[in-house]
Amino acid sequence: MTVLKRKGLFLFFMLLINSFFIGDMSYGMTKVACTDCHRERRFTTLFRESVHGNIGCTGCHEPIKSLDRHIRKKEGLRLISCGKCHGEIEKVYNNSFHYLYEDFRCYDCHYEIHGLKPQKEQIKIAIAKNCIRCHPNEEYAASGHGASVMKGNKDSATCSDCHGLHDTKAYHTSTDKYILEAREFYNKACKSCHSNYEMMRRNNLSPDTVKYYEETYHGKVQDLGYPTSVAGCADCHTTHNILPKEHPDSTINPKNLAKNCERCHPKIHPRFAEYKAHPDYRDRKKYPILYASFVFMVGLLLITFAFYWTHTLLWWRKVYWEKHRLEALGIKLETPLNHQEANQEIKRFSIQDRVMHVFLVISFFGLVITGFPIKYHNAPWAKVLIKAMGGAHNAGLYHRIAALILIALFLITLWRCIKFVFPNGFEKKNREGWKERLFGPDSLMPNKKDWQQFKAMVKWFFNKGDYPHFDRWTYWEKFDFLAVFWGMFIIGGSGITLWAPELASYIYPGWVFNIASIFHSEEALLAALFIFTVHFFNTHLIPTKFPMDPIIFTGRYKLEEMWKNRRLEYERLLKEGRIETLKVKHPSISLKIISSMFGHASLWLGLIFTLVLLWTFFFG
Amino acid sequence: MRRLQLIFLFFFTLTFFSFASEKVSSQRYIDPLTAKNLVKEKGAVFVDTMSYLECMDHRIPGSLCISLEEFEKRSPQLLKDKTQHIIFYCESDECLRAGETHNVAKTMGYENLYILDGGLPAWKRAGFEIESIIRIRRQPVESIKFNKLEEFKKQKKNLFILDVRSEHLFKKGHLEGAVNIPLYVLHRRIKEIPKDRSVLVVDETGKRSFLVCCYLINNGIRDVTRLFGGMKEIERGKKQKR
């Protein structure tokens, strides 16, 4: 206490002497300056030379009301908010982690506030050095980014490039909250630099890494807005200790990669790590197998559609022109059948076929609706669909349920095919006649006749011959069936691989997952577009059947129709005397309504989806 | 007998759930603007439930500094009127101290209790001022991650591990050789920390240890390090090892 008193008296005495010479504060009748008492170098010389030197003490400190009280430490100095001059910075800072959670003030980072000078050092180095005062992160200092910053690389990321400067985010990863926001923010931060073409080229890095990542399952789901479900940048490359691949401590070093993958994919075989996280499958030299897979699938798509869309167009033209010609001439095609016979319903599909087709339609739409938003993740409708399904996780669940239905249908079909060829069992004596059954008229296996019928059909398209006569199955129906059948091996096999990649890694290496992704994705496009265009046209939209043929749901059609479209089958059945056994009643009204509703709904949904897909493909 | 057991089980479940739901619904959360109006209209007081050091460093202007651990002991003197409107808060939106103090106050018979929704960050986000009575000057503080702890211990031979968590958490489990000085009494027991030894500060989640370290450095303890992520990271590390 006595010391304080003595100090106070001394200060008072000093001020009294000073007041005779200089001063800008009134003390009694005398004006005094702050530096009369606060004589430290930082308040005098350093402050005068600092960036704030011209605004004086009262630029940041409110003037004191009573010097006497101030000397006796009864009145402290009130700070004027830095935001008075630095308003924009204050605005963002007030929402930053440092202010909201740590209650940091400007001078806690700008610690030499009285002697603050314009930054001579490169700004990125200065920022890193300042942050490291409280966050001494040896990992960052050793990382590719940190080491480059310290070497003077102006492109490399300093602390503020990822975390923000004055706007350090409140969803800091140390908090358990805002996990989604944090992942979105940090992924975006990585992408913003790594997709900068000029910057990446300058630093001998691929400028397309982000683009390729977004073509993978991880990237697509992340882009759809579900970054917590998949691997983002930091999950593989880590956060601060990002080291080049060649470095033995790097998480992406081949020696450490399997361990890295295992954090999300437990119980994997080490070859799981051979998966390419962001490959350019258009690069023939670097990824020859991926390139070949991609080219094969694109080729398959192009050939299939070039062939079938041409076939469809020619067919449509012929039917329409023929219909017009007959109408113009007033000709009506006569059948040898009388009115009663012509209207007789004939069974074409069994109840098993019909139920299976209903499930096939449901599972197919299920797969399309849940899968295509992932394929076209950039499209606005993709986000809407995924959100409507309750997120990527739910969409994935529904996709798998639909896939299980399809797999079950496939297995039932397989079993039925076997039973069709070997109806009496597999013993040698019971196998007799299997070849005849396999290539017979009731089989869906293509044969010579199909080739002849196809040629005749083409001739008919060009007015060079008559409409060919068909048996039970036409060549395009056989193709429809077999395309789905064989397609199941590609889409099903790749789908199961992608469903359980951990298990799959015990059978084949990780790069097969990349191929599986290409196959699954392109085969899905092939299947969906084929069904929604070619199949829909052949069976529903052709002018003779427009707008829809409900035969697959009702299971029956008129004898007249059989005579017109499947003359060979009609004649065969007539000859075999089996036609009587196939006669059934006209479908009930309820069956007709249900068939019509389900059929139309599926048809329109498919057509709308086709338009959306084509729009996305060309303009999306 | 079996039927009796079933009836008992039914009522027990019913009571449990009604109690649980009552416990949550009875806590009234209010936003910063409502809280401010409550002060103006009903003379409500803010209670900062963090430690004395933290409260004096930064708080809502005019708040009472009564930490969760000391509420039962200190509130009869500071909050004599049981009908007084009281708004509890803590310094993060993840902190549970305000809710816990609220429950203690309720059992003591206080009637008009509220919790500031989102805590101090929400108050700051709303653009309202805070005050600093005894500010702890922020200092550069080294931190150590749990996986480097053993190495760190070998390096700092004379290490003093200061566990600033509350007593009951310390009893549940702590680092070997740690000394427990809970944060709410640290300002009274600062002298117990040796100035000539390296100090490692351990808290619950690593969020409070920074300020503690700054306080220690300002009080002449030079070699201070904090455990990154606190005991939560230690537990996480143990689980990962398993």
Side-chain angles (χ1 to χ4, degrees):
Chain A
M1 195 63 195
T2 43
V3 175
L4 270 177
K5 260 186 186 173
R6 246 185 250 161
K7 212 174 173 183
L9 276 171
F10 173 73
L11 282 168
F12 179 70
F13 184 66
M14 283 297 295
L15 279 170
L16 210 63
I17 296 167
N18 270 328
S19 64
F20 287 104
F21 303 102
I22 48 162
D24 51 11
M25 186 173 279
S26 172
Y27 186 68
M29 292 299 287
T30 321
K31 283 205 163 187
V32 291
C34 304
T35 46
D36 292 341
C37 298
H38 301 281
R39 285 164 173 261
E40 293 103 309
R41 206 166 153 253
R42 60 190 171 125
F43 300 135
T44 54
T45 324
L46 286 178
F47 178 66
R48 269 201 304 276
E49 290 167 359
S50 78
V51 288
H52 294 123
N54 58 342
I55 60 169
C57 307
T58 50
C60 298
H61 301 281
E62 275 183 18
I64 50 172
K65 286 171 188 154
S66 159
L67 185 59
D68 185 36
R69 280 172 55 78
H70 180 63
I71 289 168
R72 284 187 281 121
K73 296 202 169 179
K74 291 270 163 87
E75 185 185 336
L77 274 182
R78 282 176 66 87
L79 284 174
I80 293 171
S81 166
C82 303
K84 196 182 167 190
C85 297
H86 304 281
E88 283 304 308
I89 293 174
E90 188 191 43
K91 214 187 271 177
V92 289
Y93 181 70
N94 282 350
N95 276 309
S96 76
F97 181 82
H98 280 128
Y99 175 65
L100 293 174
Y101 291 87
E102 299 286 353
D103 209 68
F104 260 55
R105 304 300 163 87
C106 307
Y107 48 82
D108 290 321
C109 289
H110 301 282
Y111 47 93
E112 294 297 351
I113 197 93
H114 289 100
L116 203 65
K117 284 186 179 170
Q119 200 55 249
K120 279 182 189 166
E121 209 167 16
Q122 203 212 89
I123 189 73
K124 289 208 173 193
I125 299 176
I127 290 170
K129 279 185 178 172
N130 208 11
C131 298
I132 283 168
R133 277 166 49 91
C134 295
H135 305 277
N137 202 323
E138 75 274 17
E139 286 172 347
Y140 171 74
S143 86
H145 287 135
S148 288
V149 164
M150 292 307 176
K151 278 179 197 162
N153 186 331
K154 288 179 184 172
D155 290 333
S156 192
T158 191
C159 313
S160 60
D161 289 317
C162 298
H163 299 285
L165 188 62
H166 292 108
D167 58 341
T168 323
K169 295 297 166 195
Y171 42 76
H172 195 274
T173 40
S174 67
T175 66
D176 292 333
K177 275 191 165 187
Y178 317 114
I179 296 164
L180 177 73
E181 292 87 341
R183 288 181 82 91
E184 262 176 1
F185 176 78
Y186 289 113
N187 282 338
K188 214 172 165 183
C190 300
K191 285 177 182 182
S192 70
C193 288
H194 285 270
S195 57
N196 183 324
Y197 188 85
E198 292 299 322
M199 191 194 279
M200 290 302 107
R201 277 275 171 252
R202 273 201 301 271
N203 292 280
N204 293 326
L205 293 166
S206 166
D208 297 318
T209 308
V210 173
K211 195 177 96 187
Y212 302 143
Y213 165 74
E214 283 178 352
E215 283 172 357
T216 66
Y217 176 76
H218 291 146
K220 286 174 176 180
V221 174
Q222 183 257 133
D223 189 51
L224 276 168
Y226 301 90
T228 50
S229 314
V230 285
C233 313
D235 292 305
C236 299
H237 297 277
T238 69
T239 50
H240 291 112
N241 48 344
I242 304 166
L243 294 164
K245 196 177 177 178
E246 299 74 32
H247 195 286
D249 292 337
S250 167
T251 49
I252 55 165
N253 182 290
K255 280 183 187 169
N256 307 325
L257 204 54
K259 213 175 173 185
N260 201 10
C261 299
E262 211 168 10
R263 293 193 297 136
C264 297
H265 299 279
K267 295 173 186 171
I268 53 167
H269 189 278
R271 62 174 160 240
F272 181 98
E274 287 175 41
Y275 169 73
K276 309 291 172 211
H278 23 67
D280 175 14
Y281 47 78
R282 296 167 199 89
D283 187 337
R284 191 170 20 176
K285 282 180 189 165
K286 214 171 170 189
Y287 304 103
I289 300 172
L290 294 190
Y291 174 78
S293 310
F294 180 65
V295 169
F296 172 75
M297 285 313 290
V298 171
L300 187 68
L301 250 97
L302 288 176
I303 292 168
T304 310
F305 287 120
F307 176 80
Y308 265 102
W309 282 350
T310 313
H311 182 273
T312 299
L313 271 174
L314 290 171
W315 190 359
W316 180 83
R317 187 213 69 84
K318 175 67 188 174
V319 173
Y320 204 80
W321 259 241
E322 188 68 11
K323 203 178 161 202
H324 167 74
R325 191 179 69 85
L326 294 175
E327 274 172 10
L329 294 171
I331 300 170
K332 206 180 169 193
L333 276 181
E334 294 293 329
T335 64
L337 306 167
N338 63 36
H339 182 74
Q340 202 188 343
E341 269 181 332
N343 277 305
Q344 173 60 50
E345 296 282 346
I346 295 293
K347 183 179 164 187
R348 177 157 165 77
F349 295 113
S350 68
I351 185 76
Q352 212 173 354
D353 297 330
R354 289 147 64 192
V355 170
M356 279 176 76
H357 200 76
V358 168
F359 276 106
L360 184 68
V361 172
I362 292 169
S363 77
F364 193 80
F365 276 113
L367 289 162
V368 165
I369 291 167
T370 53
F372 273 81
I374 309 281
K375 183 169 171 63
Y376 294 109
H377 59 107
N378 285 325
W381 55 265
K383 288 188 174 70
V384 175
L385 265 182
I386 290 282
K387 207 172 178 187
M389 284 183 273
H393 178 80
N394 285 4
L397 182 70
Y398 303 146
H399 195 79
R400 284 160 178 83
I401 292 170
L404 284 177
I405 296 173
L406 192 66
I407 291 168
L409 290 172
F410 171 73
L411 294 175
I412 294 168
T413 308
L414 200 65
W415 176 243
R416 288 183 67 193
C417 287
I418 295 166
K419 286 293 281 179
F420 173 78
V421 182
F422 305 104
N424 303 318
F426 304 106
E427 284 170 32
K428 204 173 181 182
K429 57 176 181 180
N430 297 331
R431 288 203 297 252
E432 217 168 89
W434 70 272
K435 267 186 193 167
E436 288 74 24
R437 281 190 292 278
L438 184 62
F439 295 104
D442 282 321
S443 169
L444 279 157
M445 182 61 80
N447 54 38
K448 266 186 197 169
K449 259 189 185 172
D450 293 305
W451 174 242
Q452 287 159 0
Q453 284 163 354
F454 167 67
K455 282 195 291 186
M457 191 80 167
V458 174
K459 279 182 186 168
W460 178 68
F461 289 160
F462 294 103
N463 307 320
K464 305 266 172 163
D466 293 329
Y467 183 70
H469 291 163
F470 294 101
D471 207 302
R472 186 167 180 192
W473 306 110
T474 61
Y475 65 84
W476 63 86
E477 283 165 344
K478 287 183 182 181
F479 185 87
D480 260 11
F481 174 79
L482 286 174
V484 177
F485 193 82
W486 291 117
M488 264 307 289
F489 285 99
I490 298 181
I491 208 155
S494 58
I496 291 168
T497 300
L498 298 171
W499 187 343
E502 296 87 359
L503 270 177
S505 68
Y506 285 90
I507 305 168
Y508 32 70
W511 52 263
V512 177
F513 309 154
N514 293 99
I515 297 176
S517 301
I518 297 171
F519 275 25
H520 199 73
S521 171
E522 300 307 322
E523 178 70 22
L525 181 65
L526 176 67
L529 276 188
F530 189 87
I531 297 295
F532 298 153
T533 56
V534 180
H535 173 74
F536 276 12
F537 176 85
N538 292 354
T539 43
H540 304 295
L541 302 177
I542 187 166
T544 48
K545 290 175 183 175
F546 187 84
M548 197 199 74
D549 186 1
I551 188 166
I552 192 66
F553 305 121
T554 59
R556 63 203 82 185
Y557 63 158
K558 299 219 180 296
L559 194 60
E560 185 186 18
E561 222 174 301
M562 192 187 204
W563 182 84
K564 274 183 191 168
N565 296 325
R566 300 176 204 280
R567 186 80 58 85
L568 294 179
E569 187 189 10
Y570 170 77
E571 285 165 359
R572 185 167 55 87
L573 293 176
L574 204 65
K575 203 174 151 189
E576 290 171 8
R578 280 169 57 201
I579 215 141
E580 283 303 314
T581 59
L582 295 173
K583 284 183 179 172
V584 284
K585 277 184 188 170
H586 191 72
S588 68
I589 186 77
S590 55
L591 179 62
K592 276 165 93 173
I593 291 173
I594 292 168
S595 300
S596 182
M597 278 169 66
F598 186 77
H600 275 287
S602 308
L603 192 68
W604 284 107
L605 190 61
L607 291 176
I608 291 167
F609 206 81
T610 310
L611 288 177
V612 171
L613 275 186
L614 291 175
W615 178 84
T616 310
F617 202 77
F618 292 110
F619 312 109
Chain B
M1 189 61 195
R2 203 170 165 190
R3 195 176 290 172
L4 261 175
Q5 276 177 348
L6 275 173
I7 292 167
F8 175 74
L9 192 71
F10 171 74
F11 279 105
F12 176 77
T13 318
L14 201 72
T15 321
F16 175 78
F17 278 109
S18 59
F19 174 72
S21 62
E22 193 264 336
K23 195 178 169 186
V24 174
S25 64
S26 68
Q27 292 185 345
R28 270 184 290 183
Y29 284 85
I30 53 170
D31 60 75
L33 188 65
T34 316
K36 206 170 187 183
N37 290 336
L38 209 64
V39 174
K40 213 187 275 178
E41 289 158 17
K42 307 257 177 165
V45 288
F46 281 108
V47 170
D48 188 319
T49 60
M50 304 304 288
S51 68
Y52 175 78
L53 285 174
E54 290 161 310
C55 177
M56 294 302 269
D57 183 78
H58 52 275
R59 67 182 188 188
I60 293 172
S63 299
L64 292 174
C65 298
I66 315 175
S67 69
L68 159 68
E69 293 86 349
E70 291 188 308
F71 189 84
E72 215 167 338
K73 196 172 120 192
R74 294 185 62 208
S75 57
Q77 286 174 318
L78 297 167
L79 297 161
K80 285 175 184 161
D81 182 4
K82 297 273 180 184
T83 62
Q84 167 75 49
H85 290 259
I86 307 168
I87 308 160
F88 297 101
Y89 69 91
C90 47
E91 68 172 23
S92 98
D93 41 2
E94 287 171 60
C95 167
L96 303 172
R97 297 174 68 88
E100 286 173 28
T101 319
H102 171 282
N103 293 345
V104 174
K106 194 157 194 200
T107 55
M108 289 173 74
Y110 288 99
E111 291 165 17
N112 300 306
L113 307 172
Y114 309 87
I115 296 169
L116 182 65
D117 200 6
L120 207 49
W123 179 264
K124 289 176 181 175
R125 273 199 185 101
F128 299 142
E129 280 202 358
I130 50 161
E131 68 177 2
S132 186
I133 306 300
I134 308 170
R135 185 162 165 82
I136 299 169
R137 190 178 161 81
R138 305 302 193 259
Q139 300 284 356
V141 176
E142 295 259 343
S143 68
I144 184 86
K145 286 192 175 168
F146 75 96
N147 53 357
K148 300 266 173 80
L149 193 59
E150 288 308 313
E151 205 180 304
F152 181 76
K153 276 183 185 172
K154 278 177 201 162
Q155 201 186 325
K156 307 265 181 184
K157 279 173 189 164
N158 201 16
L159 189 65
F160 181 88
I161 302 174
L162 171 65
D163 193 324
V164 293
R165 296 175 302 150
S166 54
E167 293 91 340
H168 74 279
L169 286 174
F170 183 79
K171 274 178 197 164
K172 275 185 188 172
H174 53 261
L175 292 178
E176 199 187 331
V179 176
N180 183 221
I181 304 179
L183 191 40
Y184 73 97
V185 288
L186 185 64
H187 60 290
R188 293 199 288 266
R189 293 174 56 187
I190 180 87
K191 284 181 183 167
E192 292 175 32
I193 303 162
K195 288 186 179 178
D196 55 346
R197 285 173 70 181
S198 305
V199 179
L200 175 72
V201 179
V202 181
D203 67 351
E204 286 165 60
T205 59
K207 291 187 187 104
R208 302 173 82 188
S209 56
F210 174 73
L211 203 64
V212 174
C213 290
C214 294
Y215 178 69
L216 298 186
I217 294 168
N218 293 341
N219 278 280
I221 301 158
R222 287 187 182 176
D223 189 4
V224 181
T225 310
R226 69 190 190 94
L227 180 69
F228 185 88
M231 282 303 283
K232 198 177 166 187
E233 278 293 297
I234 300 274
E235 293 302 324
R236 206 166 63 90
K238 276 183 192 169
K239 270 184 196 168
Q240 269 179 9
K241 267 188 184 176
R242 261 181 248 147

